[in-house]
Amino acid sequence: MLIGELARISGMSKDGIRHYEEIGLIRSTERRAGSRVYRDYDASAIKRIEHVRQAQQLGLSLKEIGPILDTYGEREVTAAETVSFLEERLDIVRGKLAELRKIEDFILQKLDRYRTSETKS
């Protein structure tokens, strides 16, 4: 399929698709039509875009997603692999939440000090 059809099916912009291809998340082949060259995408591009979106929902960056897709390729990931990966992500997210709570506590302490000093003035 051509980029326009992939964009329509996936809900992505053509520029977004080009970016994904540029960084290696999806692949295409060249198709010649006279003097013009088009990029041809197969159905696996749709599946990879779906996987990228799911990985983004887990908090992964595009830079992190590429190696994961390359590791697992087109094969089905087992339930055990999925559980292990999700548990690792959950640990990371919980760590980030703990750090954010520390920052929140610090900000609240500062606000409390400033608000207390303002009422004394």
Side-chain angles (χ1 to χ4, degrees):
M1 77 188 84
L2 297 177
I3 193 169
E5 185 177 0
L6 180 58
R8 183 183 54 75
I9 291 170
S10 67
M12 288 187 69
S13 69
K14 291 178 184 179
D15 287 338
I17 291 169
R18 287 183 190 105
H19 179 66
Y20 276 22
E21 186 171 8
E22 185 178 297
I23 62 175
L25 293 176
I26 59 174
R27 293 169 186 83
S28 68
T29 56
E30 286 187 1
R31 185 197 316 175
R32 294 197 171 272
S35 63
R36 300 193 74 170
V37 178
Y38 296 94
R39 307 302 304 168
D40 190 28
Y41 300 88
D42 63 24
S44 70
I46 297 167
K47 193 170 193 170
R48 284 182 70 95
I49 290 170
E50 289 172 4
H51 289 163
V52 169
R53 287 184 172 149
Q54 289 173 356
Q56 285 178 310
Q57 288 180 320
L58 293 171
L60 295 168
S61 69
L62 293 179
K63 193 174 188 173
E64 294 169 311
I65 294 169
I68 293 169
L69 289 178
D70 292 340
T71 298
Y72 293 105
E74 297 302 317
R75 75 171 177 83
E76 289 295 317
V77 179
T78 67
E81 289 171 322
T82 300
V83 167
S84 177
F85 179 78
L86 291 174
E87 286 174 341
E88 289 174 21
R89 286 306 301 165
L90 186 57
D91 287 343
I92 291 168
V93 168
R94 285 179 173 158
K96 289 178 180 180
L97 285 170
E99 288 298 316
L100 287 171
R101 283 188 194 101
K102 288 179 186 177
I103 294 168
E104 178 187 36
D105 290 344
F106 177 77
I107 292 170
L108 289 171
Q109 288 172 2
K110 288 291 186 186
L111 283 171
D112 189 46
R113 284 186 196 148
Y114 282 104
R115 288 177 180 153
T116 303
S117 68
E118 284 180 355
T119 56
K120 291 180 182 177
S121 303

